[in-house]
Amino acid sequence: MTKQTLSFQAEVAQLLHLVTHSLYSNKEIFLRELISNASDACDKLRFEAINDGGLYENDSELKVKVTFDKDAKTLTITDNGIGMSTQEAIDHLGTIAKSGTKDFVSKLSGDQKADSQLIGQFGVGFYSGFIVADKISVESRRAGMKAEEGVRWISGGAGDFEVENITRTERGTSVILHLRDDAMDYASAWKVKGIINKYSDHISLPILMEKEEWKDGELINPGDEQGGRQPGGMVKTGEWETVNKANAIWARAKKDITDDEYTEFYKQISHDFEAPLAYTHNRVEGSTEYTQLLYIPGKAPYDLYNREKSAGVKLYVKRVFIMDDAEALLPTYLRFVKGVVDSSDLPLNVSRELLQESRDVKAIREGCTKRVLGMLEDLAKNDKLPEATTSAEGVTDVVTEEEKTEAAANAGKFTKFYNEFGAVLKEGLGEDYANKDRLAKLLRFATSTTDVVSVSFADYKARMKEGQEAIYYITADNAAAAKNSPQLEVFKKKGIEVLLMTDRVDEWALNYLQDFDGTPLQSVAKGAVDLGKLQDETEKKAAEEAAEAFKPLLAKLKEALKDKAEDVRVTTRLVDSPACLVVQDHGMSTQLARMLKQAGQAAPEVKPVLEVNFEHPLVKKLDGSVHFNDLAHILFDQALLAEGGLPADPAAYVKRVNALLV
Ligand code: ADP
C-alpha cells in the first residue's frame, strides 16, 4: 500500500479542535491517557492470548516504555501489546466508533469552559496527545501479523491524517509525539517520572524509562536534582528502570494506600477532574472471593438517564483485565458507581452472557450493592455538622479539632450526591426489591412547607400531625405546579405537610413503595380524600349533605362530561378552586399517562374523576345556567390546566371562554 491521505470524521475534527483549545490548563493528562491506552493494549493481548498463546511471539513480558529525544523534540510511548492493523489504525484513530462519543461531541457548546468540564468527564483518550504535540506519528504492528504488515499513521491534528505500510519487527505500538515548543519541558525524565507517579503508579505493567547519569557530574547543590549540577548535563546509560509501582492499587493493603492515591486512581478510571465523594475498598472472603474498590462520583455524567449507558465497574480476574463496564456487577440504578472488581473465582474467558448467569457474580453483585448503600448511608449520616451536645450534668461534648475537620469535610456530601443522583436512586425501588427499605430511607423530598429537597420519610413522619395516618404526597411536572395544585388546598388549610414529587421517575417508583416504616403512602390526587381522624365531623356532614343536595346537578354534569370524566362528585379537598381532577384509587395518574404518551409509549386512556367544590360561586352558579354545557366543559378543562395538562381540544376551550367573556 502506498501512502494514503484520509480525512477525519467530522466529529473527530471537532473534538480535536476542542482538545487543543480548551485543555490547556491541564496539559499533563495526555500522558495518563496514552499510558492507559498502552496498558489497555497489553490487557487485550493477554486476553486474546488465553486462546492463542502464539500471539506472544515468545515475548510475554508486557511493558510500556517511555523515551524522549530533546534534539528531535519527541516523546515516545511504546507498548508491546496487541498493536493495530492498517485498517484498525484508520478506524480507531480516524473515526469515533462509539455512539456515546458522537452523542457527546454533539452536546459540546463551543463555550470553552463548559466544554472542558464535559470533556474532563468524558476522557479524550488518544487525541489528548495533541495538547502537547503538533504532530503525532503512530507506528504499529498487530500481534500475530507479519513484520511487513506494519502501519505508520501521521497527523497534524487538523483535518486529515496519512497512513502507509511499514515494516516493523516489534509487535505493538509506538506513539511518537512531536512536541510543541511550549511543551518541551515534557522532554525531561524528571518531569515525566513525576507525572507517571501521579497518575500511573497503579498500572499493573512496568513502565520503563532509560536511566540517566550526570556527565562528568559533580554535585554542586546536593538534593537539587533538576538544576544543581554543572553543564555536561544528563546522558542516557542504556539501562532501563521501572518508574511506576507497577502494582494494582486494589491489590495493595489498605493501610499502605493514601487518600491521594485513591483519588488519583479514581480520576484515572473515571476521567473526572474532581475527587470522588466516597470510596470503599475491601477484600471479601468466603465462598466467593473478590476485591472491590468502588467510588461514588460527585457529578453526574451527561448521559446518566440513559439506562442503556454502560456501567462504570471494570472486571478483573486475578489481576487480568477482563472487561470494562461489567453491568452484571451492579444493578442498573447504581450505574453511576465507578471502580474495579477483581475476582479470584471466575474463569478468565468469562463472557458477558456467562456473567449474567454466574452464581459468583450474583454474590459479588449483592456484596457490591450492600457496600454502595452503606457508603450512601454514611454520607447521609454525616451530611449535617453535628451540634455540640450538652449532657444532663451540663458537660459539653468535647470534640477534637481532628473530629471537627473531618465533620466539616463530610458535611454536605450527601446533599451534593442527592442533587446529582437522587432520581436514579429512586429507580431502585422498582428494581431492587431486597433493598427497598434501605433505599426508601435515603430518599429526600421538597414538601409543601420546605422548598429544599431535604426531607426524608422519617423527618416527615416525625412531624406528622396527631391523628394523621398516612404520608401524603403529590406528583407533578415541576415544583411550582406541585405547590400550587388545587389538590393541596385542604392540606394547607389544615396545616398538613405534603411531599412534593417532581422527578419523572417518582410516579413509577412510588408504585413499588406502599408504605414507609408501617405508615401508608397516600397520593393526594388519588381516590377520595380521606383525612381519617383529621377530618372535621361537621365538615364531613356538610359534604354528605351537599352530595345529597347536589345529586341532580352532579347527574347533569356527569351526562354533559360523559366523554371526559369517569365520574363527578363533590369534595372537601378544595378551598379556593372550583374543581380538580383525581384518579381512582389504584388508577394511573394523569401525569404518568401524559408522560408515557410524550415518550411515545402506549398509555391506557385515563378518565379522571372531576371533583367539584360546592362552596365555590362558579359551581353554585351552574344550576339553572343557560350556559350549563359550556360551563361544565370549562370547569373540566380548567381543572386539567391547573395540573399542567392541556384540554383535549384547546381551540374549543378558548372559544367557550371567549363566548362567556363577551
Ligand atoms: P478509548 O481508549 O477510549 O477507546 P482512544 O481515543 O484513546 O479511545 O483510542 C481509540 C482506539 O484506538 C482504542 O480503543 C484502541 O482500539 C486504539 N488504540 C489507541 N492506542 C492504542 C495502542 N497503544 N495500542 C493499540 N490500540 C490502540
Side-chain angles (χ1 to χ4, degrees):
M1 187 189 83
T2 49
K3 211 181 256 186
Q4 253 186 295
T5 302
L6 297 165
S7 299
F8 282 119
Q9 186 191 25
E11 285 90 350
V12 176
Q14 220 177 323
L15 189 63
L16 276 168
H17 179 82
L18 208 90
V19 165
T20 44
H21 288 85
S22 59
L23 283 179
Y24 243 71
S25 57
N26 212 357
K27 274 190 189 156
E28 63 188 25
I29 60 148
F30 81 92
L31 194 57
R32 160 184 95 184
E33 299 292 322
L34 295 180
I35 289 180
S36 159
N37 277 355
S39 156
D40 288 349
C42 292
D43 282 340
K44 279 183 202 151
L45 173 61
R46 207 181 277 142
F47 185 63
E48 285 193 19
I50 294 170
N51 294 318
D52 180 3
L55 291 176
Y56 279 132
E57 305 173 10
N58 296 322
D59 169 21
S60 60
E61 268 181 48
L62 301 179
K63 53 186 172 279
V64 180
K65 282 183 171 178
V66 181
T67 54
F68 58 88
D69 181 335
K70 271 204 164 111
D71 301 325
K73 297 188 178 175
T74 57
L75 178 66
T76 303
I77 296 101
T78 301
D79 64 72
N80 59 350
I82 191 76
M84 282 178 271
S85 66
T86 304
Q87 194 55 46
E88 282 171 333
I90 293 173
D91 291 345
H92 296 162
L93 305 180
T95 58
I96 300 178
K98 287 176 283 185
S99 61
T101 316
K102 278 196 192 165
D103 223 42
F104 160 77
V105 174
S106 70
K107 288 217 166 62
L108 297 175
S109 61
D111 167 8
Q112 288 193 5
K113 208 158 157 216
D115 287 349
S116 66
Q117 272 292 330
L118 256 185
I119 219 165
Q121 284 177 39
F122 186 78
V124 282
F126 172 76
Y127 302 113
S128 63
F130 287 106
I131 308 173
V132 294
D134 47 22
K135 183 169 97 176
I136 300 181
S137 98
V138 178
E139 297 180 4
S140 189
R141 176 174 67 77
R142 202 178 199 287
M145 290 178 101
K146 295 196 205 85
E148 307 83 75
E149 293 178 309
V151 58
R152 179 183 292 128
W153 177 104
I154 298 185
S155 176
D160 49 24
F161 59 91
E162 270 172 20
V163 269
E164 64 180 321
N165 190 225
I166 59 167
T167 297
R168 181 179 159 99
T169 41
E170 315 83 46
R171 168 196 76 218
T173 306
S174 291
V175 176
I176 304 152
L177 304 171
H178 296 265
L179 296 171
R180 292 173 194 277
D181 286 336
D182 62 357
M184 274 305 290
D185 48 339
Y186 292 100
S188 130
W190 168 78
K191 177 99 180 178
V192 170
K193 270 187 207 170
I195 304 174
I196 291 174
N197 289 150
K198 183 163 164 198
Y199 294 119
S200 308
D201 258 349
H202 73 278
I203 295 274
S204 49
L205 301 165
I207 301 172
L208 303 177
M209 287 186 74
E210 206 176 332
K211 257 193 178 157
E212 287 181 318
E213 257 178 15
W214 290 101
K215 193 176 166 195
D216 317 317
E218 229 173 75
L219 209 56
I220 293 172
N221 261 327
D224 182 0
E225 287 295 310
Q226 302 93 51
R229 303 223 185 189
Q230 63 185 19
M234 299 206 73
V235 290
K236 306 213 161 97
T237 60
E239 268 177 76
W240 294 85
E241 60 175 340
T242 302
V243 295
N244 63 332
K245 291 211 177 80
N247 196 342
I249 185 171
W250 63 89
R252 288 160 54 196
K254 251 171 152 166
K255 63 174 174 36
D256 299 334
I257 308 172
T258 63
D259 259 353
D260 281 348
E261 286 177 294
Y262 278 121
T263 300
E264 272 318 320
F265 180 64
Y266 165 75
K267 288 184 179 169
Q268 164 94 37
I269 57 170
S270 67
H271 303 289
D272 193 347
F273 286 144
E274 275 179 49
L277 289 179
Y279 58 82
T280 183
H281 180 197
N282 312 282
R283 245 207 87 64
V284 182
E285 278 159 12
S287 58
T288 305
E289 296 199 353
Y290 61 96
T291 301
Q292 58 189 183
L293 173 53
L294 302 173
Y295 294 89
I296 295 180
K299 232 196 175 110
Y302 67 94
D303 58 350
L304 179 67
Y305 290 102
N306 177 2
R307 278 177 58 90
E308 265 102 69
K309 165 193 156 48
S310 47
V313 180
K314 293 175 194 285
L315 176 66
Y316 284 74
V317 171
K318 299 187 194 85
R319 291 316 121 66
V320 178
F321 171 78
I322 305 295
M323 67 179 80
D324 270 323
D325 317 331
E327 63 276 351
L329 301 178
L330 274 176
T332 310
Y333 75 96
L334 296 180
R335 59 188 175 274
F336 53 84
V337 172
K338 304 272 181 212
V340 168
V341 166
D342 191 340
S343 155
S344 316
D345 306 311
L346 292 171
L348 279 171
N349 59 355
V350 66
S351 65
R352 276 183 202 267
E353 292 69 37
L354 248 151
L355 278 183
Q356 301 293 349
E357 279 147 33
S358 153
R359 282 181 47 205
D360 287 316
V361 171
K362 203 163 163 256
I364 294 175
R365 179 186 170 106
E366 277 167 20
C368 288
T369 305
K370 288 218 166 77
R371 284 290 176 179
V372 173
L373 294 181
M375 275 194 278
L376 294 177
E377 283 157 2
D378 282 344
L379 288 180
K381 202 173 76 197
N382 298 317
D383 199 43
K384 289 201 188 78
L385 282 173
E387 287 159 28
T389 50
T390 308
S391 70
E393 292 84 44
V395 183
T396 305
D397 224 12
V398 187
V399 183
T400 64
E401 279 310 309
E402 210 170 304
E403 284 169 331
K404 268 193 209 155
T405 325
E406 192 178 324
N410 287 322
K413 282 188 177 172
F414 187 73
T415 303
K416 186 169 178 190
F417 163 80
Y418 201 83
N419 288 339
E420 295 283 322
F421 301 106
V424 181
L425 206 59
K426 289 177 187 162
E427 293 172 13
L429 292 179
E431 197 186 335
D432 189 359
Y433 188 80
N435 289 305
K436 200 169 73 169
D437 293 339
R438 280 179 87 172
L439 280 166
K441 286 186 188 142
L442 289 169
L443 302 185
R444 300 290 182 269
F445 306 96
T447 76
S448 50
T449 55
T450 311
D451 282 335
V452 187
V453 177
S454 60
V455 180
S456 68
F457 284 125
D459 296 336
Y460 179 96
K461 268 191 80 168
R463 307 207 278 249
M464 270 177 23
K465 288 205 106 165
E466 214 177 299
Q468 186 178 343
E469 283 156 353
I471 296 172
Y472 293 108
Y473 70 88
I474 182 165
T475 52
D477 295 344
N478 57 62
K483 256 189 116 159
N484 299 323
S485 164
Q487 267 112 353
L488 287 192
E489 287 172 5
V490 66
F491 292 87
K492 281 186 194 150
K493 185 171 140 198
K494 292 188 178 294
I496 303 168
E497 191 173 19
V498 175
L499 298 173
L500 310 182
M501 311 258 176
T502 51
D503 278 329
R504 281 181 154 244
V505 62
D506 283 332
E507 178 80 35
W508 173 85
L510 284 169
N511 277 324
Y512 295 92
L513 195 71
Q514 271 79 39
D515 66 285
F516 176 81
D517 195 16
T519 308
L521 264 64
Q522 168 74 48
S523 162
V524 304
K526 275 189 184 172
V529 250
D530 178 11
L531 292 176
K533 293 185 185 129
L534 296 170
Q535 189 122 15
D536 218 295
E537 276 311 311
T538 47
E539 281 172 6
K540 223 183 208 168
K541 226 169 135 224
E544 274 160 23
E545 282 168 15
E548 213 26 61
F550 277 83
K551 239 182 183 165
L553 178 69
L554 292 178
K556 260 176 85 183
L557 272 173
K558 210 171 151 178
E559 176 56 28
L561 298 172
K562 65 174 184 293
D563 294 335
K564 292 178 169 171
E566 175 74 34
D567 194 7
V568 181
R569 60 191 182 215
V570 292
T571 183
T572 51
R573 81 173 93 214
L574 298 173
V575 180
D576 305 317
S577 303
C580 69
L581 299 175
V582 296
V583 293
Q584 304 286 39
D585 245 330
H586 296 288
M588 182 185 278
S589 82
T590 37
Q591 276 93 9
L592 184 57
R594 202 153 59 227
M595 250 158 57
L596 286 174
K597 261 192 210 144
Q598 277 166 4
Q601 293 190 33
E605 212 37 63
V606 223
K607 262 210 221 162
V609 174
L610 181 73
E611 292 198 345
V612 294
N613 175 2
F614 55 85
E615 308 259 21
H616 198 279
L618 184 57
V619 177
K620 287 185 174 154
K621 218 171 136 182
L622 268 174
D623 212 6
S625 165
V626 284
H627 303 294
F628 181 85
N629 203 44
D630 284 339
L631 281 172
H633 282 278
I634 289 173
L635 205 60
F636 182 94
D637 286 347
Q638 283 189 342
L640 197 57
L641 282 168
E643 62 167 53
L646 261 187
D649 184 352
Y653 169 77
V654 172
K655 229 177 182 168
R656 282 192 179 110
V657 172
N658 287 348
L660 287 177
L661 288 175
V662 172

